[in-house]
Amino acid sequence: MTENRYGKVRFDGVCTDTSNAAYPVDEVRRALEPAFDPPWDGTAIHIGVTLLHNGYVVRGTDGFVPSEDTRQLDNDEVVSRVCEDLSPRLDPDGSEADAASFVTFVGDVFEALTEDV
């Protein structure tokens, strides 16, 4: 696990180094980069690989799809569980707005990763 940032929020997730052969990092990158502008594209990829690692999404024939367990949850529940797994922490000068923005971002990543299927 490695630490990453989204604004004033730090969180944990799976390393997105392309040498990490356990995960299709390049496929996640191709699926997410068009939906997110720098500097948040790297953060989105980090969350996307973590979604795959934790079983929220799986590889389908045409991209990534929600796992069977994830399909039984509504989007708010998925985002809540993902956020628990990411263990987000606010910087000392962070606010509730920063935390809310992070939660929204996690939902956007999940939707972007699974939308084309």
Side-chain angles (χ1 to χ4, degrees):
M1 296 302 231
T2 63
E3 185 176 87
N4 205 320
R5 298 189 68 80
Y6 178 78
K8 295 184 179 189
V9 177
R10 292 175 287 123
F11 63 94
D12 299 323
V14 176
C15 178
T16 57
D17 186 327
T18 54
S19 66
N20 185 353
Y23 301 102
V25 176
D26 286 334
E27 287 179 49
V28 172
R29 177 176 282 115
R30 281 191 299 274
L32 290 174
E33 276 185 339
F36 298 95
D37 294 324
W40 305 125
D41 55 339
T43 303
I45 294 162
H46 188 79
I47 292 172
V49 172
T50 304
L51 288 167
L52 185 63
H53 168 76
N54 289 336
Y56 294 102
V57 299
V58 295
R59 288 165 91 178
T61 55
D62 294 327
F64 296 95
V65 297
S67 67
E68 288 299 319
D69 290 340
T70 303
R71 288 180 195 181
Q72 297 176 21
L73 306 173
D74 66 34
N75 279 358
D76 289 340
E77 243 182 315
V78 171
V79 171
S80 176
R81 289 183 183 193
V82 171
C83 285
E84 284 179 30
D85 291 341
L86 295 172
S87 301
R89 299 164 304 282
L90 275 175
D91 288 346
D93 60 341
S95 68
E96 286 184 29
D98 295 315
S101 180
F102 176 73
V103 169
T104 299
F105 185 75
V106 169
D108 292 346
V109 170
F110 177 76
E111 289 178 16
L113 189 58
T114 60
E115 77 179 348
D116 291 334
V117 180

